[in-house]
């Protein structure tokens, strides 16, 4: 089913792009998420009956850019709140996530991340994921960054 959706989305994207009758790509930001100049929070690709949403890596910053939390669990909570706020701009939620990319400073803290993640994702059909331990993120006090891709049905 996912392969069919991917092929359909690609075909729809190429058809829409070649027809130039609509813009299949749209960028959105949430005012509830810290915005970094020169970086889009998200982009959607129109796939006909649904849209694919690609999110930039989300970090544990509040709307004013202040760090939230000093543990992986606390920071993961803010990260997923940011993801939820961006997906709401498209009419979606964390339950629509199909792929996660997780960058964590200490892989032994993965259970703390998963405890929070499981509150937001579809546990019956969990997203595909990659988990990578990294030595640093963009700030020394940031312990986790999460990229997300979602598919949301058009209304």
């Amino acid at each position: 089913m996912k392969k069919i959706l991917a092929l359909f989305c690609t075909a729809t994207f190429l058809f829409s792009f070649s027809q130039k009758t609509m813009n299949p790509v749209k960028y959105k930001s949430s005012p509830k998420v810290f915005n970094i100049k020169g970086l889009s929070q998200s982009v959607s690709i129109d796939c006909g009956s649904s849209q694919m949403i690609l999110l930039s890596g989300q970090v544990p910053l509040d709307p004013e850019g202040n760090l939230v939390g000093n543990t992986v669990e606390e920071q993961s909570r803010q990260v997923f709140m940011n993801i939820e706020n961006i997906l709401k701009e498209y009419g979606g939620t964390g339950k629509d996530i199909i792929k996660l990319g997780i960058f964590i400073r200490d892989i032994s803290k993965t259970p703390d991340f998963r405890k929070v993640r499981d509150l937001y994702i579809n546990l019956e059909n969990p997203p595909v994921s990659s988990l990578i331990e990294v030595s640093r993120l963009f700030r020394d006090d940031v312990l986790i960054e999460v990229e997300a891709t979602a598919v949301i049905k058009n209304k």
Side-chain angles (χ1 to χ4, degrees), residues 18-69:
S18 68
Q19 295 299 307
K20 297 187 187 214
T21 57
M22 59 188 279
N23 184 2
V25 177
K26 293 182 183 167
Y27 296 85
K28 286 189 180 182
S29 294
S30 168
K32 296 180 180 179
V33 177
F34 183 66
N35 205 8
I36 299 172
K37 186 177 179 176
L39 174 74
S40 296
Q41 288 180 1
S42 67
V43 62
S44 69
I45 302 167
D46 187 345
C47 298
S49 63
S50 62
Q51 53 189 323
M52 182 177 292
I53 315 299
L54 303 148
L55 277 69
S56 288
Q58 294 302 305
V59 292
L61 301 180
D62 68 14
E64 289 76 40
N66 301 307
L67 181 73
V68 175

Side-chain angles (χ1 to χ4, degrees), residues 29-154:
S29 294
S30 168
K32 296 180 180 179
V33 177
F34 183 66
N35 205 8
I36 299 172
K37 186 177 179 176
L39 174 74
S40 296
Q41 288 180 1
S42 67
V43 62
S44 69
I45 302 167
D46 187 345
C47 298
S49 63
S50 62
Q51 53 189 323
M52 182 177 292
I53 315 299
L54 303 148
L55 277 69
S56 288
Q58 294 302 305
V59 292
L61 301 180
D62 68 14
E64 289 76 40
N66 301 307
L67 181 73
V68 175
N70 57 13
T71 67
V72 167
E73 186 173 345
E74 293 167 339
Q75 289 191 8
S76 294
R77 221 174 273 119
Q78 182 64 43
V79 164
F80 275 97
M81 285 174 45
N82 291 346
I83 290 170
E84 282 278 316
N85 283 325
I86 294 168
L87 292 176
K88 282 180 187 174
E89 295 293 320
Y90 297 95
T93 71
K95 305 291 185 204
D96 298 306
I97 295 171
I98 62 165
K99 182 175 186 340
L100 289 171
I102 303 108
F103 304 92
I104 192 167
R105 299 261 316 267
D106 181 354
I107 207 153
S108 73
K109 303 296 183 188
T110 301
D112 298 332
F113 163 76
R114 288 182 178 152
K115 186 185 323 179
V116 175
R117 177 208 59 191
D118 289 354
L119 299 173
Y120 290 90
I121 65 167
N122 178 343
L123 292 174
E124 288 183 32
N125 294 300
V128 298
S129 298
S130 297
L131 174 66
I132 303 163
E133 183 177 42
V134 295
S135 61
R136 291 189 69 187
L137 290 164
F138 88 108
R139 283 177 29 180
D140 289 335
D141 53 358
V142 172
L143 305 175
I144 190 159
E145 181 170 342
V146 178
E147 297 175 337
T149 302
V151 173
I152 301 169
K153 290 183 180 179
N154 287 329

